[in-house]
Amino acid sequence: MTNNNVDEKRVQEIEKNFSASTHFNISSDSDFNSSIDHIIGLLTDSFTLITNSSYGSALFLAITAMEETAKTHFAMFMKHDLNINNNKDPLMKHYKKHFLSVSPVFKMGSRLTNVLGNEKIDELISLIDQKNGLMDLRNNSIYWHTDSNGNYFPKDSIDKNIAQEMLLFSIESFDDSLVGYSQYSIEASDCTDTIFESIKKDYHSK
């Protein structure tokens, strides 16, 4: 029986990356738990920036947390090779880490769906699956740029809604990909659960 919430195409693409090599290496409980602390730090900082109305920087850190989630997850299983060329290492590419941060069963949980709804989640996943989709959002959240119509600053395109949505998505990615590999990760995730519930209340109050 096929589960409609399992992304078979994503399964195939992820399997390819598990067989690749990477510079990065997570081979001990200590390194894994330090990575958990690091990612929770990024998510907490993102939340702090949202509460201070710094939405562009908050979104940038939420996306960075997704990248570090994917890097940590896949570095536990991929072959470690410090001599590999950077352009052959999937975990050296921003867009690849964005893709890998979303598991094939990401949509099986109900927590994120209950806040954002299926349509918004599908929209964000579609953005992530485009090679430069999330990269453009990431860059526009922190850098100003110029085109034929003039200058654009992060405040012109990044608002509270998208910053909250991306942080909720990033927390869910972290929880889905890494929480459960160690007892420490389960206990530490209480912090991100609290952040999730806080954003949820504010997001629903609009």
Side-chain angles (χ1 to χ4, degrees):
M1 181 181 241
T2 301
N3 188 321
N4 291 331
N5 287 323
V6 178
D7 186 339
E8 298 294 344
K9 183 177 180 181
R10 192 168 236 98
V11 170
Q12 295 172 10
E13 185 63 28
I14 284 175
E15 285 176 347
K16 293 179 186 176
N17 286 279
F18 271 128
S19 63
S21 299
T22 181
H23 292 84
F24 304 103
N25 187 33
I26 297 289
S27 59
S28 68
D29 290 344
S30 176
D31 284 343
F32 177 76
N33 292 336
S34 291
S35 295
I36 292 293
D37 287 339
H38 166 59
I39 295 165
I40 289 177
L42 292 171
L43 295 168
T44 302
D45 289 348
S46 176
F47 178 64
T48 300
L49 288 166
I50 287 175
T51 62
N52 285 284
S53 303
S54 183
Y55 304 127
S57 297
L59 188 145
F60 183 86
L61 288 183
I63 294 175
T64 302
M66 289 173 60
E67 295 173 5
E68 295 294 81
T69 290
K71 186 167 77 177
T72 299
H73 188 197
F74 281 78
M76 291 192 291
F77 302 103
M78 293 170 66
K79 181 181 177 182
H80 178 226
D81 182 3
L82 285 174
N83 296 316
I84 187 175
N85 191 294
N86 284 359
N87 63 19
K88 294 190 177 297
D89 184 346
L91 302 186
M92 293 292 284
K93 301 172 182 177
H94 290 292
Y95 76 88
K96 184 66 74 173
K97 286 182 287 187
H98 298 162
F99 177 87
L100 295 175
S101 70
V102 179
S103 79
V105 295
F106 183 81
K107 292 179 64 179
M108 287 185 71
S110 61
R111 180 172 72 160
L112 189 63
T113 304
N114 289 340
V115 183
L116 300 184
N118 278 317
E119 186 175 345
K120 175 57 68 173
I121 294 173
D122 286 343
E123 178 186 321
L124 293 174
I125 292 176
S126 177
L127 191 66
I128 288 165
D129 288 349
Q130 299 169 36
K131 183 172 181 178
N132 291 316
L134 205 59
M135 277 301 298
D136 287 343
L137 184 63
R138 173 187 181 274
N139 291 339
N140 290 340
S141 74
I142 201 77
Y143 304 114
W144 67 272
H145 65 281
T146 302
D147 66 19
S148 59
N149 294 314
N151 293 328
Y152 295 87
F153 296 87
K155 66 180 180 62
D156 298 323
S157 56
I158 308 300
D159 61 16
K160 185 177 183 179
N161 271 7
I162 185 59
Q164 288 184 320
E165 290 161 1
M166 210 66 241
L167 179 52
L168 289 172
F169 194 99
S170 186
I171 290 171
E172 194 68 8
S173 169
F174 164 72
D175 195 79
D176 185 54
S177 299
L178 296 176
V179 174
Y181 276 105
S182 70
Q183 183 61 34
Y184 181 80
S185 68
I186 295 172
E187 295 169 357
S189 69
D190 286 347
C191 174
T192 54
D193 288 344
T194 299
I195 292 172
F196 191 101
E197 290 303 313
S198 179
I199 297 174
K200 173 184 172 180
K201 290 177 184 176
D202 186 59
Y203 190 81
H204 277 167
S205 68
K206 297 169 188 173

